[in-house]
Amino acid sequence: MVFAPDTEVALRTVVHLINSAANGEEKLATVADLDEFLRAEGFSGSRARDAAELASVHALRSDLAALWTADEDTAVAGVNRLLREAHALPQLLKHDQWDWHLHATTREAPLADRMGTEAAMALVDVIRSKEMDRMLVCAADDCDAVVLDLSRNRSKRYCDTGNCANRAHVAAYRARRAAGGD
């Protein structure tokens, strides 16, 4: 295990949020899409369920995508801004199926603030652990999705949004065959 379980969950949610706009495809086009995303990610708390909330999540997604590929100093500034703007106040909570874990906003805080704070708190662990090199962009030439490499040997290179790894392996196999090797 590289990070605490709640940190890994938050980081995976960041990946899913960023990748909801990968490769020119908008997967959070409607409030209903956002509802399904939040259900799949296990997000609870108050909701406005309106266009403004969806727009704020889109803005957060853009901010997180920029942080994903940022250098350490830029990432620190972005994380601190997210925490400051949400008036974060870390505390331990236990709810739903989750055991004790860290929250830094109230359940009543606006959705984008709660999502941004969870992401920022997870990124704090990544930055403090000097593990930013685990935050990647898919190695496929035709894909701009992000990748979280939690593998022990740091070998994950392709996203989970499609079949990028399979396409790359098939292309390499065909290239070897064409070159006369196998």
Side-chain angles (χ1 to χ4, degrees):
M1 178 173 72
V2 178
F3 301 109
D6 58 327
T7 297
E8 288 188 16
V9 168
L11 289 170
R12 285 190 179 101
T13 297
V14 171
V15 167
H16 296 155
L17 180 61
I18 294 170
N19 288 346
S20 70
N23 303 315
E25 184 180 347
E26 177 57 71
K27 294 179 183 170
L28 293 179
T30 67
V31 172
D33 294 338
L34 179 59
D35 290 343
E36 177 55 27
F37 176 85
L38 296 171
R39 186 204 59 71
E41 296 299 322
F43 251 88
S44 58
S46 68
R47 292 281 313 285
R49 287 189 170 81
D50 60 16
E53 183 177 70
L54 180 61
S56 68
V57 171
H58 285 173
L60 172 63
R61 178 177 62 192
S62 295
D63 290 347
L64 293 173
L67 289 177
W68 197 263
T69 57
D71 62 76
E72 184 176 86
D73 290 337
T74 303
V76 167
V79 164
N80 285 340
R81 181 185 52 78
L82 286 171
L83 293 171
R84 188 173 47 255
E85 288 175 358
H87 307 287
L89 181 60
Q91 52 196 302
L92 284 170
L93 293 175
K94 185 189 287 191
H95 61 88
D96 303 320
Q97 79 275 14
W98 301 102
D99 199 357
W100 291 112
H101 61 284
L102 198 57
H103 275 250
T105 59
T106 65
R107 292 174 57 88
E108 296 77 29
L111 176 63
D113 285 353
R114 291 193 326 270
M115 292 176 75
T117 300
E118 290 225 2
M121 295 296 290
L123 291 170
V124 163
D125 285 352
V126 173
I127 293 166
R128 289 176 353 135
S129 300
K130 300 291 187 192
E131 296 284 357
M132 287 186 67
D133 59 340
R134 291 182 178 276
M135 298 167 31
L136 309 166
V137 175
C138 183
D141 292 335
D142 61 344
C143 183
D144 63 2
V146 299
V147 177
L148 175 62
D149 182 8
L150 295 178
S151 65
R152 193 176 296 224
N153 63 356
R154 299 173 185 262
S155 60
K156 186 166 176 136
R157 296 292 171 253
Y158 296 98
C159 72
D160 297 325
T161 63
N163 52 2
C164 293
N166 187 48
R167 284 186 292 118
H169 293 119
V170 168
Y173 170 77
R174 289 179 178 159
R176 284 192 309 273
R177 295 273 309 210
D182 208 58

